Amino acid sequence: MSRYLLEVGTEAIPAGYMTPALTALHERAVAGLLELRLPVARVDVRGTAKRLVLELHGLAERQEDVTREVSGPRADIAFKDGKPTPAAVGFARKNGVEVSALERVTTDKGEFLLARVHETGRPAREVLPAFVTELVTGLAWPKTMVYNATGFRCPRPLRWIVSLLDGDVLRISLGGVDADRFTRGHRLVAPGNLELGSPTDYEPVLDRAGIVLNPADRSSKIAAELAEEAKRLGGRCLLDDRLLEEVVFLAEQPTVYSGSFDPEFLELPREISVTAMKSHQRYFAVESASGELLPHFLVVCDGTWDDPSLVIAGNERVLRARLADARFYWDVDRKTGLEALAESLDKVVWLEAVGTLKQKAERVGWLVERLGQTLYADDWSSLKAPVLRAARLAKADLASEMIKDGKEFTGLQGVMGARYAAEAGEPEAVVRGLEEQYLPQGASDRLPESREGTLLSLADKLDTIAGCWAAGFVPSGSQDPYALRRAANGIVRMLLDKSLRVSLGEVVAHAVRQLPEAVQKDTLEREILDFFRDRVAFALKD
């Protein structure tokens, strides 16, 4: 049994690419070795943003032999008067057997020739080079670059390749880089080439060179240090699973440091401060035992410094600028007011064929009234005023300084509208509806809890589906740029989980008829209903 190591070293690949790439590498390796008839005891895939690593433990030294049965021509065509015809001779030659070795088998369609073809397995060192080359070149990445004349595509340039079968270099070449036995360590610990005698040397060498290779080990190390550092600061880390997964692939030797910011920024809504920390800077927030935000942050750095003060000061300076920007947006937007922001939506195009955001808000308000009268008929008189007010203000924050122009706070749409409404003294029901209008945003996301939020969410998603469909943005295959499947799934989830009774045919008709006449067509309602039928079937099957 042998052991094989492949390490593909690159410039730092975007963190979000790595988990899917490593999963695909493992799945393709397992399936490919099975197809290649090359037994292996264990397949390990690990890596960092700068290296993809495949290790094959207990690898057979050669492929398994195999005997295949190949069907041939009809026997009465292959033999005439007991003598082989060109059909039989050609069939035997093609499969590397003698005519005398051909067998006859009887089927429902008659008697046919059969050749038993024996293939002797080739040595692993002969078949592996082509296999691992195809394995790496076949990986699918969200975006790639071609950076030299070879045409090799990768998210970032290749820098080195290790390819070792036991103690020997297995020759492969990718993107103009030839494989060798030299890996590289952490840039602060062991930046040069490090020679490997065999795959068994790999992990000890990387450990001494400051590399934590296993993503799970890096994740555990980061989580433990976050908790410890937050406790030292008198609080607890506001752990974000998605952010943790990202920073795992931003550092090969993760080390957690803490910094502080001016407590005056705590006057900002909590969501703004937390978003400013994590959106671009990838910081973790710290909160007290009672859940109040503390003026500290935790940052995961790549490497350890004897005196980290310069690193901490740099991070504090950057965060201070982010928070100062956020406070400026907050002050300007509150001074402008939600009502004025809502009026300015007539200058913001949602979809060119369908109209502005103000027109969308008006359609949503109309749909809210129709849905409210149907779903909450007994309480509509008390619901009507706050939910229609919320519908009028629902998209106002999209014109705010905080949200518009693609800044890091765009993910707070709806939430910011709710915070501005609360500051302006709007009723709690209006604030609640604004905050919940985009829920659910995914299959596992929570549903709106309030009736105001439920109505706003249903109406907004219905208008989005109808408007996008009419404008030609119909989901096809993996293409769904406006997330219409997710919107429809959200509608179905709300109706089913909340036991709300409504005719989809009626509400789709309402949504379509509110669109501009220029985009309406006879088949539009039917197409959208067919789309909803698929979503309902999907939900019930799930």
Side-chain angles (χ1 to χ4, degrees):
M1 291 296 180
S2 298
R3 183 169 174 178
Y4 175 69
L5 166 68
L6 173 70
E7 181 191 53
V8 179
T10 70
E11 295 291 334
I13 292 173
Y17 291 13
M18 292 305 301
T19 297
L22 292 176
T23 300
L25 183 62
H26 185 270
E27 292 175 350
R28 286 167 55 82
V30 171
L33 289 167
L34 187 63
E35 184 178 350
L36 203 60
R37 311 192 318 276
L38 197 56
V40 63
R42 190 173 86 244
V43 177
D44 282 344
V45 170
R46 290 165 294 170
T48 71
K50 295 182 179 180
R51 62 193 80 217
L52 285 84
V53 180
L54 169 71
E55 285 192 87
L56 307 179
H57 301 263
L59 181 69
E61 295 183 359
R62 63 186 310 113
Q63 292 175 296
E64 294 176 329
D65 296 345
V66 64
T67 299
R68 295 184 294 108
E69 294 182 351
V70 182
S71 297
R74 290 176 60 93
D76 56 0
I77 295 175
F79 288 90
K80 296 292 185 182
D81 300 326
K83 296 181 179 181
T85 66
V89 174
F91 175 64
R93 184 187 305 116
K94 177 181 177 182
N95 291 284
V97 299
E98 298 293 329
V99 173
S100 59
L102 296 175
E103 302 177 26
R104 300 187 182 211
V105 293
T106 302
T107 71
D108 295 340
K109 297 182 180 180
E111 191 177 34
F112 291 82
L113 294 189
L114 176 74
R116 297 186 186 276
V117 181
H118 182 74
E119 292 183 10
T120 302
R122 297 164 59 197
R125 66 180 59 253
E126 290 184 11
V127 298
L128 274 177
F131 170 71
V132 296
T133 298
E134 194 280 330
L135 201 59
V136 176
T137 57
L139 286 176
W141 303 94
K143 290 183 181 179
T144 57
M145 61 186 294
V146 177
Y147 58 92
N148 60 27
T150 66
F152 178 73
R153 304 193 70 92
C154 191
R156 294 293 183 268
L158 298 188
R159 288 294 177 248
W160 76 92
I161 300 173
V162 174
S163 177
L164 291 178
L165 181 61
D166 296 325
D168 300 326
V169 175
L170 192 69
R171 299 296 176 186
I172 64 171
S173 182
L174 295 168
V177 179
D178 296 327
D180 211 322
R181 60 172 70 247
F182 296 96
T183 185
R184 298 185 189 179
H186 192 276
R187 60 189 177 86
L188 298 179
V189 180
N193 287 339
L194 304 170
E195 185 172 2
L196 301 173
S198 72
T200 57
D201 298 337
Y202 183 59
E203 288 193 48
V205 166
L206 285 193
D207 285 342
R208 292 192 296 272
I211 303 296
V212 182
L213 182 62
N214 194 327
D217 292 341
R218 294 198 300 278
S219 181
S220 298
K221 184 177 188 294
I222 292 169
E225 291 188 15
L226 288 171
E228 182 180 348
E229 189 65 12
K231 184 178 180 180
R232 188 186 68 80
L233 295 169
R236 61 191 179 199
C237 176
L238 193 60
L239 199 60
D240 183 302
D241 291 338
R242 292 180 63 182
L243 180 57
L244 177 60
E245 183 178 350
E246 184 175 4
V247 297
V248 160
F249 287 102
L250 291 177
E252 294 194 306
Q253 188 191 67
T255 305
V256 174
Y257 294 113
S258 62
S260 301
F261 57 89
D262 195 322
E264 70 178 22
F265 288 118
L266 294 178
E267 297 172 4
L268 291 169
R270 175 191 179 96
E271 296 88 352
I272 295 177
S273 299
V274 172
T275 300
M277 291 185 217
K278 75 178 184 180
S279 181
H280 280 288
Q281 305 313 123
R282 311 301 188 258
Y283 301 158
F284 291 84
V286 181
E287 64 179 5
S288 67
S290 60
E292 296 177 349
L293 211 58
L294 297 178
H296 304 291
F297 65 90
L298 305 173
V299 56
V300 179
C301 294
D302 189 9
T304 303
W305 285 265
D306 293 333
D307 180 10
S309 58
L310 286 178
V311 176
I312 294 172
N315 283 283
E316 288 178 339
R317 184 170 59 253
V318 173
L319 180 59
R320 188 182 308 118
R322 296 281 183 194
L323 291 173
D325 286 345
R327 182 169 58 185
F328 172 78
Y329 304 146
W330 171 249
D331 291 341
V332 169
D333 290 337
R334 285 188 301 164
K335 184 177 180 180
T336 303
L338 274 183
E339 189 66 41
L341 290 173
E343 285 297 319
S344 71
L345 292 176
D346 63 350
K347 299 181 180 66
V348 183
V349 174
W350 176 52
L351 292 174
E352 188 172 351
V354 183
T356 65
L357 279 174
K358 185 175 182 181
Q359 290 171 316
K360 177 177 176 57
E362 290 169 351
R363 291 195 301 270
V364 168
W366 191 89
L367 285 171
V368 159
E369 190 159 9
R370 306 280 92 64
L371 287 165
Q373 291 170 351
T374 301
L375 298 175
Y376 302 112
D378 294 342
D379 300 316
W380 179 239
S381 58
S382 60
L383 263 177
K384 181 176 180 179
V387 76
L388 290 183
R389 176 63 176 167
R392 171 170 171 73
L393 301 177
K395 306 304 173 188
D397 63 356
L398 297 181
S400 68
E401 292 295 323
M402 189 73 72
I403 301 297
K404 71 179 184 180
D405 297 332
K407 293 185 282 286
E408 62 264 37
F409 302 105
T410 53
L412 294 179
Q413 61 183 20
V415 174
M416 289 315 306
R419 298 297 167 263
Y420 292 138
E423 282 286 313
E426 293 285 347
E428 177 61 27
V430 174
V431 174
R432 210 165 43 236
L434 293 175
E435 187 169 9
E436 295 180 339
Q437 64 178 299
Y438 292 104
L439 299 178
Q441 296 189 46
S444 58
D445 196 15
R446 63 189 180 94
L447 299 179
E449 295 180 6
S450 68
R451 293 176 297 181
E452 293 85 0
T454 300
L455 287 172
L456 266 181
S457 179
L458 287 170
D460 183 46
K461 288 175 171 58
L462 278 167
D463 182 73
T464 296
I465 292 170
C468 289
W469 212 281
F473 298 107
V474 179
S476 61
S478 61
Q479 301 300 311
D480 188 8
Y482 284 83
L484 302 189
R485 292 190 187 96
R486 186 173 67 189
N489 290 341
I491 290 172
V492 172
R493 271 190 66 199
M494 283 186 280
L495 295 178
L496 289 177
D497 291 6
K498 292 177 176 291
S499 300
L500 300 175
R501 299 181 62 83
V502 69
S503 165
L504 275 176
E506 289 182 10
V507 295
V508 167
H510 287 322
V512 168
R513 290 165 193 168
Q514 288 302 300
L515 298 173
E517 291 185 10
V519 297
Q520 295 194 25
K521 58 179 182 179
D522 294 340
T523 60
L524 189 56
E525 289 181 29
R526 178 179 55 78
E527 291 174 10
I528 296 174
L529 274 177
D530 288 342
F531 174 64
F532 266 109
R533 286 190 184 95
D534 290 340
R535 297 298 94 197
V536 171
F538 175 82
L540 295 177
K541 181 180 179 182
D542 188 58

